[in-house]
Amino acid sequence: MTADAPSALTGLKPLSRLDHPREMIRQFTPNWFAATMGTGILALALPQVPNIGPALKPIGEVLWFFNIALFILFAGLYGARWAMFGHEARRIFGHNTVSMFIGTIPMGLATIINGCLAFGIARFGNGIVPVAHVLWWIDVAMSLACGVLIPYLMFTRHEHSLDGMTAVWLLPVVAAEVAGASGGLLAPHLTDPHAQIVTLATSYVLWAYSVPVAFGILAILILRMALHKLPHESMAASSWLALGPIGTGALGMLVLGADAPAILAAHGLVGVGTVAQGIGVVAGLCLWGFGLWWLALATLITIRYWRAGVPFNLGWWGYTFPLGVYTVATFRLGTTLNLGFFGIVGTVLTVALAAMWLLVGAKTLAGAWRGNLFVSPCIATPN
């Protein structure tokens, strides 16, 4: 027992698995921003639960503030890595997998921007809307950049194979449609009609910039799984990532379609706005049905993985955001169509999302405390 005491005490020390505390900075990767995506989408989903949403809104607001703190912390750590270990940090662009997670940065920021509208207006007043608008344009720029530059690196620098493909290929591409859906939520809060239509038009472009490419990747992913079966257990959560572009695509069509009549009518395009609204409802409903198929498939795949035992890694945050955005799209369909069925389904999905967030959050906190989650594969694999 005496011999075990030092090891037990070591386990209580923060970052005990690292050679030096600065390794937390040296080994920090964008994967961590997936935690801001999962936390942010749970915060946004809670107030939308039918009947009890107002009671859950304070919890959502706390999560939103917590998410802002997380994002600032992660941005600081990642910025410090580039400042202190820039020669190693730039290796991310040559890594087949880690480079994909650059897309989590703008997507994490998008949840904070949406929180400005869901919680910030009530807390701080309409003065927060211009702040959200500026942040949204920053998010748009980052989404456009990673949506084309990372695929460019895939085509020119990375080494990929069909049997090694996973749904993480979606991450840099999907950021643009997340920004597009966020623009749909932002546009009605802007007071300038010109700013409204610019935001609306940009959001439609972002949706088109992302969704067709994402669905092309999904088609290849289905072929890959049919030919080569499931990916390695370390990528178990990646089966849920495909639900992200489907849910976000549905949500984007719904919110943009809802914005279109009033915004376009102010610019003499009443007929176009009415058509856009109808297309939004039909497209949202169809994409939700596609998402239902993938939700069922991902659930079966997850059960198979978990029965065999799956080691924890930061990829587990992939269980949260895709489920969360599909949940929010479900709630939006319920309010758009005035059908209680979607409210019930959304509530069940919110419970599952909250449970998964608690599980993954607890494991992440424990791993961060020990330091074993701070691992940068791009350092171990020279480029």
Side-chain angles (χ1 to χ4, degrees):
M1 293 180 64
T2 304
D4 292 338
S7 61
L9 291 174
T10 300
L12 295 175
K13 290 176 56 180
L15 306 178
S16 60
R17 301 289 180 87
L18 299 178
D19 295 335
H20 191 279
R22 68 170 173 268
E23 285 295 297
M24 179 178 66
I25 296 175
R26 179 172 176 257
Q27 302 281 352
F28 193 86
T29 61
N31 306 48
W32 284 89
F33 285 92
T36 67
M37 294 169 59
T39 302
I41 199 63
L42 176 61
L44 295 169
L46 288 176
Q48 300 185 49
V49 177
N51 301 321
I52 61 172
L56 296 176
K57 187 172 181 178
I59 300 175
E61 185 176 5
V62 169
L63 286 174
W64 176 59
F65 280 118
F66 175 61
N67 202 37
I68 294 173
L70 274 183
F71 192 91
I72 293 172
L73 172 63
F74 294 164
L77 288 171
Y78 196 46
R81 185 187 183 192
W82 276 92
M84 297 170 62
F85 306 100
H87 62 292
E88 292 180 335
R90 68 173 60 97
R91 292 183 184 176
I92 188 175
F93 298 116
H95 196 276
N96 294 0
T97 302
V98 184
S99 59
M100 305 296 164
F101 285 88
I102 293 176
T104 64
I105 300 175
M107 286 192 281
L109 178 59
T111 65
I112 293 174
I113 295 169
N114 295 342
C116 290
L117 308 175
F119 309 109
I121 293 176
R123 175 65 58 181
F124 303 110
N126 289 325
I128 200 171
V129 174
V131 176
H133 195 201
V134 171
L135 290 175
W136 181 74
W137 279 112
I138 295 173
D139 192 68
V140 168
M142 289 194 296
S143 299
L144 290 173
C146 72
V148 73
L149 293 179
I150 302 303
Y152 175 76
L153 292 175
M154 292 175 68
F155 303 158
T156 59
R157 186 172 177 181
H158 297 170
E159 294 293 335
H160 292 280
S161 61
L162 184 61
D163 63 325
M165 177 200 185
T166 66
V168 297
W169 284 20
L170 291 164
L171 290 175
V173 172
V174 174
E177 65 178 279
V178 173
S182 299
L185 296 170
L186 175 64
H189 294 278
L190 302 175
T191 55
D192 180 15
H194 179 70
Q196 285 185 331
I197 195 168
V198 169
T199 301
L200 180 69
T202 303
S203 297
Y204 270 113
V205 170
L206 290 166
W207 191 95
Y209 186 92
S210 171
V211 173
V213 181
F215 275 51
I217 294 174
L218 288 179
I220 300 172
L221 180 63
I222 293 173
L223 175 64
R224 175 255 178 269
M225 291 196 294
L227 296 179
H228 302 287
K229 309 312 174 193
L230 300 179
H232 187 269
E233 61 183 15
S234 63
M235 301 299 293
S238 67
S239 60
W240 287 84
L241 295 180
L243 191 62
I246 301 171
T248 308
L251 180 63
M253 281 289 95
L254 288 166
V255 296
L256 293 173
D259 295 344
I263 293 177
L264 294 179
H267 293 81
L269 299 169
V270 177
V272 177
T274 302
V275 171
Q277 184 179 37
I279 291 175
V281 174
V282 174
L285 190 57
C286 291
L287 287 173
W288 188 88
F290 181 29
L292 183 62
W293 178 83
W294 205 287
L295 174 66
L297 182 66
T299 301
L300 292 174
I301 292 173
T302 301
I303 292 172
R304 181 184 179 91
Y305 272 122
W306 283 22
R307 280 180 175 175
V310 181
F312 177 76
N313 57 53
L314 286 176
W316 278 37
W317 283 103
Y319 291 119
T320 58
F321 183 79
L323 177 60
V325 75
Y326 185 74
T327 301
V328 173
T330 303
F331 284 135
R332 189 76 183 202
L333 270 175
T335 56
T336 301
L337 300 175
N338 195 26
L339 291 175
F341 165 78
F342 290 103
I344 295 172
V345 174
T347 301
V348 173
L349 294 178
T350 302
V351 172
L353 172 63
M356 186 57 67
W357 182 86
L358 288 171
L359 173 64
V360 179
K363 288 182 175 292
T364 301
L365 182 61
W369 179 266
R370 293 191 299 266
N372 61 292
L373 290 181
F374 294 101
V375 179
S376 179
C378 46
I379 294 178
T381 307
N383 297 296

